[in-house]
Amino acid sequence: MRKNIVAGNWKMNNDTKETKSLLKDIRKGIKKATLKNTKVIVAPSFVNLNTAVKVLGDSKIKVAAQNMNAAKNGAYTGEISADMLKNIGVKTVILGHSERRAYFGETDAVLKEKVDSALEQKMKIIFCFGEELNDRKENKHFELVESQIKKALFHLPEEAWNKIVLAYEPVWAIGTGETASPEQAQEMHAFIRKTVAEMYSVAVANNVSILYGGSVKPANAKEIFSNPDVDGGLIGGAALKAKDFLAIIAAV
Ligand code: PGA
């Protein structure tokens, strides 16, 4: 059965000292029992991944990268490969975040390549997608989300889905303080699960964790997570404060 997951996407925040201190506070504040039922993941910047792996040690809190290149190695100045990540103990990667799509030209086709490469290299993937405000205003949000998932993931064989977590992040809710209502989140998550069930099977759909992301805070986490098809969250701003992140983890 699918797991509850809370993942913190730190984006381009926190130097090494801040990384250590935030992780120590999270580690200290987290209850062992919580980690039995909930998978907790943090995604610091590339330069602090090594530090994060060391600080977290055997704590069961996992470390993810925020991106990777699809190529195995070679002349790709400034890029990071899956091998480099695995080499330092990072086995999960976030792909398709809306900021990567918007500012770094990551199209569905580019993301499909990254997905294939990550899976080939035995990485786990948190795959992000979501509509912009205009899509929702024009009532095209279901269509858009379906096409994002289809184009990057629906060529995969059924067994690949054991390595995939989905993260629905409506772009209009990211870093804006505006959250999808619990009803909007549930409606979209149920739609996503149905779409996966139609393409693969009910078993695959029931097995995949679908996270919600976009201005999740301690104050709204419980209400969002209590929906049957919301299996946790991908947290940006609120993951940068141990107290808030811990409160969100406790709410799942
Ligand atoms: P936010 O970011 O929680 O700051 O809205 C979420 C995300 O971008 O993953």
Side-chain angles (χ1 to χ4, degrees), residues 96-111:
H97 191 279
S98 68
E99 287 147 19
R100 298 294 318 168
R101 293 177 191 257
Y103 310 143
F104 303 98
E106 297 200 1
T107 59
D108 293 319
V110 167
L111 291 167

Side-chain angles (χ1 to χ4, degrees), residues 163-175:
K163 300 255 180 187
I164 290 175
V165 169
L166 300 177
Y168 168 58
E169 299 203 301
V171 180
W172 48 271
I174 296 179

Side-chain angles (χ1 to χ4, degrees), residues 23 45 58 72 74 81 95 99 102 123-124 137 140 167 171 177 185 234 236 240:
L23 290 176
S45 70
D58 60 357
K72 279 197 171 152
S81 71
L95 293 177
E99 287 147 19
M123 300 279 292
K124 292 188 181 127
K137 279 189 179 152
K140 288 190 180 141
V171 180
L234 181 55
L240 298 173

Side-chain angles (χ1 to χ4, degrees), residues 35 94 105 139 159 176 199 206 226 248:
L35 286 169
I94 298 174
N139 208 25
E159 58 282 8
T176 58
M199 176 64 196
N206 282 342
S226 63
I248 292 170

Side-chain angles (χ1 to χ4, degrees), residues 84-100:
M84 292 170 184
L85 297 172
K86 280 192 303 182
N87 199 245
I88 56 164
V90 175
K91 297 178 198 123
T92 305
V93 62
I94 298 174
L95 293 177
H97 191 279
S98 68
E99 287 147 19
R100 298 294 318 168

Side-chain angles (χ1 to χ4, degrees), residues 169-188:
E169 299 203 301
V171 180
W172 48 271
I174 296 179
T176 58
E178 197 159 331
T179 332
S181 69
E183 295 75 25
Q184 284 172 325
Q186 170 55 27
E187 188 187 29
M188 182 58 89

